[in-house]
Amino acid sequence: MFKEFLLWTKHSKAAWIFAAVAFALCIGYYMLEVANGRAQMADFRVYYDAAKALINNTQLYGVAFGISSGFYKYSPFAALVFVPFALLPYSIASVLYYLLVSVGAIYLLLFIAFFFNSFQTHIGKFVNSKLVLFIVLLTIFMADHLERELHLGNVNLFLLILAIACYMNLAKRPWVAGLVYAVILLFKPHFLILFPYFVWKGQWKVLAGTLAGVAIGILLPSLFVGLEHNFALHQQWLGAMKAHNVSLTESANTIYGIFTHFILQVSQSNVLIIGSLFLIALGFLWLMRYNKLSGGKGHIWFIEFFILLALIPNLTHTDTEHFMWSMPLVAFNLFMIVNEQFRGKWIVAIGMFLAFIPYTLNSPDIVGKQIRFLFDEGGLLGIANLMIILLAIYIHLNIRNKEMRFMKL
């Protein structure tokens, strides 16, 4: 589908105009960051310094890079990916990475628009004006999360692009999908949520590619630091991940934190966590069984795959910028709002508007520090994300019996 996307962008005037305007906004934002002394890109600094530590064989874990909280907590393989940047002066490397994130954001927005527009469904394709409206709405809805990625210089945007690439390759190139999934896991093991799903679906080639890719990724740093030191680094990586965790019931935007904050304080946190995971698993199994009746055994459905990604920050303790992984479901919901033929569009529109407030407006520059803290640390962002997921399920259940070919692979 990548070739078709390139052909589409080549002939789409709307895509070119959007790309030019979006890139200009990214450059303007960077100039503002520099003018206000905010162009530190703290997360990229951690990756950059970690890559330098790896190639210089100095301490990688347990030392702060850039800022006091800048501890490296990712795999040695992830640091290896940033070695090309570490060979450059930071002033040049940071600008290059900012440009890379900018291009990645524009690519992701356009590819999602192309993805939804490229399938003939009972709802129909976009007319040009609706396509522009869809891209603009999606950009506005995701603005805060994309802005944070530009400001911090993290990898969440690229992991989402890789996750979409994994999904797109599942049917025809499962080995490729598995290798892509391995790279994602080596950056953030949170994506292990997909592993039992692939097992359940019998995606054995995907899993074989994943295991091979992970093994290669674990061994690869040995070429630079030696086998023994590489083994020690992976032990330190496991320790760094454990140190970053907190009690899940204290993590405000998780389902468990939302329950204890808004509903009932539970003394037995393990019971709440296990019970919540059990209920979610039951609900997801029901959805898969529901889909199996029309999709057949082994099909990977869009709704199933991307619900699992969207649930990650609601099930595990993560940073708030990881909520950007709900972007495919946000796009799915907005797609139905823009297309007039979907009868439940007003229900979805109202729900998305309510979710928009804590999901997008959680910036201190917009609502102030106190309200931003309420959104990010008070559980409202987590609630908004759950609303996005539930609205996507509502849409899916309403259209399942009609032709929607992009819903399954």
Side-chain angles (χ1 to χ4, degrees), residues 41 53 83 94 112 120 130 147 223 282 309 318 343 353 384:
M41 295 182 69
V83 165
S94 60
I112 287 177
Q120 187 62 47
K130 291 294 180 67
E147 181 270 335
L223 298 176
L282 280 181
L309 293 194
T318 62
R343 294 182 179 180
F353 175 76

Side-chain angles (χ1 to χ4, degrees), residues 7 18 58 91 131 148 184 193 196 210 226 327 347 351 380 389 396 399:
L7 186 64
F18 172 80
T58 56
S91 58
L131 175 61
R148 288 191 189 187
I184 298 171
I193 193 172
T210 300
M327 187 175 179
I347 294 175
L380 296 182
I389 295 170
H396 175 73
I399 65 175

Side-chain angles (χ1 to χ4, degrees), residues 343-403:
R343 294 182 179 180
K345 60 178 297 184
W346 291 111
I347 294 175
V348 178
I350 293 170
M352 289 297 284
F353 175 76
L354 294 175
F356 174 83
I357 297 172
Y359 188 84
T360 305
L361 301 182
N362 60 340
S363 168
D365 297 325
I366 299 175
V367 296
K369 291 184 178 180
Q370 290 186 341
I371 296 179
R372 196 284 307 170
F373 185 83
L374 178 65
F375 287 168
D376 277 1
E377 307 299 332
L380 296 182
L381 176 59
I383 292 174
N385 197 61
L386 291 173
M387 289 177 62
I388 291 168
I389 295 170
L390 292 174
L391 287 169
I393 295 173
Y394 164 77
I395 294 169
H396 175 73
L397 296 180
N398 272 272
I399 65 175
R400 187 188 68 89
N401 293 324
K402 299 178 182 180
E403 184 186 11

Side-chain angles (χ1 to χ4, degrees), residues 189-202:
H190 303 86
F191 286 82
L192 275 170
I193 193 172
L194 288 171
F195 197 89
Y197 178 66
F198 289 147
V199 172
W200 184 274
K201 291 291 186 175

Side-chain angles (χ1 to χ4, degrees), residues 90-404:
Y90 181 75
S91 58
I92 297 175
S94 60
V95 172
L96 287 176
Y97 192 73
Y98 182 90
L99 292 174
L100 191 62
V101 175
S102 300
V103 172
I106 295 168
Y107 164 80
L108 181 59
L109 289 164
L110 286 175
F111 185 83
I112 287 177
F114 164 76
F115 174 78
F116 281 96
N117 194 46
S118 61
F119 294 88
Q120 187 62 47
T121 71
H122 76 283
I123 293 176
K125 293 187 177 183
F126 289 122
V127 295
N128 196 51
S129 60
K130 291 294 180 67
L131 175 61
V132 173
L133 177 60
F134 172 76
I135 296 176
V136 170
L137 286 176
L138 180 60
T139 303
I140 292 173
F141 210 101
M142 298 303 303
D144 182 65
H145 298 276
L146 295 175
E147 181 270 335
R148 288 191 189 187
E149 203 73 359
L150 290 168
H151 174 66
L152 295 171
N154 212 321
V155 296
N156 301 307
L157 173 75
F158 297 115
L159 294 183
L160 179 55
I161 291 174
L162 288 175
I164 293 173
C166 174
Y167 171 77
M168 299 302 297
N169 282 285
L170 285 170
K172 295 182 179 179
R173 291 177 289 273
W175 281 94
V176 173
L179 290 173
V180 172
Y181 181 46
V183 173
I184 298 171
L185 288 176
L186 287 166
F187 270 88
K188 298 203 174 180
H190 303 86
F191 286 82
L192 275 170
I193 193 172
L194 288 171
F195 197 89
Y197 178 66
F198 289 147
V199 172
W200 184 274
K201 291 291 186 175
Q203 296 288 326
W204 307 119
K205 291 182 180 179
V206 174
L207 294 170
T210 300
L211 294 175
V214 168
I216 293 170
I218 289 175
L219 292 174
L220 203 56
S222 300
L223 298 176
F224 297 85
V225 299
L227 192 61
E228 185 176 349
H229 186 48
N230 184 40
F231 178 72
L233 286 177
H234 280 84
Q235 287 184 312
Q236 294 170 27
W237 173 38
L238 295 175
M241 286 192 294
K242 290 178 181 178
H244 183 64
N245 287 333
V246 301
S247 173
L248 289 175
T249 54
E250 296 175 6
S251 186
N253 289 304
T254 62
I255 291 173
Y256 337 105
I258 292 169
F259 185 89
T260 56
H261 182 74
F262 290 98
I263 302 174
L264 181 66
Q265 290 287 334
V266 178
S267 57
Q268 296 293 327
S269 60
N270 289 337
V271 174
L272 173 61
I273 294 169
I274 294 172
S276 299
L277 292 175
F278 179 74
L279 291 175
I280 291 170
L282 280 181
F284 193 76
L285 286 171
W286 176 86
L287 179 65
M288 287 195 294
R289 183 179 181 279
Y290 186 86
N291 289 334
K292 183 180 177 181
L293 297 177
S294 61
K297 183 179 179 181
H299 278 298
I300 301 292
W301 288 72
F302 172 92
I303 194 71
E304 295 173 357
F305 187 93
F306 289 105
I307 277 177
L308 290 175
L309 293 194
L311 278 171
I312 289 173
N314 280 127
L315 297 180
T316 62
H317 174 67
T318 62
D319 299 322
T320 55
E321 57 261 31
H322 294 167
F323 282 95
M324 78 175 304
W325 294 337
S326 300
M327 187 175 179
L329 294 188
V330 170
F332 179 57
N333 296 348
L334 294 177
F335 176 76
M336 295 303 167
I337 294 174
V338 170
N339 285 277
E340 297 178 356
Q341 293 90 334
F342 179 60
R343 294 182 179 180
K345 60 178 297 184
W346 291 111
I347 294 175
V348 178
I350 293 170
M352 289 297 284
F353 175 76
L354 294 175
F356 174 83
I357 297 172
Y359 188 84
T360 305
L361 301 182
N362 60 340
S363 168
D365 297 325
I366 299 175
V367 296
K369 291 184 178 180
Q370 290 186 341
I371 296 179
R372 196 284 307 170
F373 185 83
L374 178 65
F375 287 168
D376 277 1
E377 307 299 332
L380 296 182
L381 176 59
I383 292 174
N385 197 61
L386 291 173
M387 289 177 62
I388 291 168
I389 295 170
L390 292 174
L391 287 169
I393 295 173
Y394 164 77
I395 294 169
H396 175 73
L397 296 180
N398 272 272
I399 65 175
R400 187 188 68 89
N401 293 324
K402 299 178 182 180
E403 184 186 11
M404 184 63 76

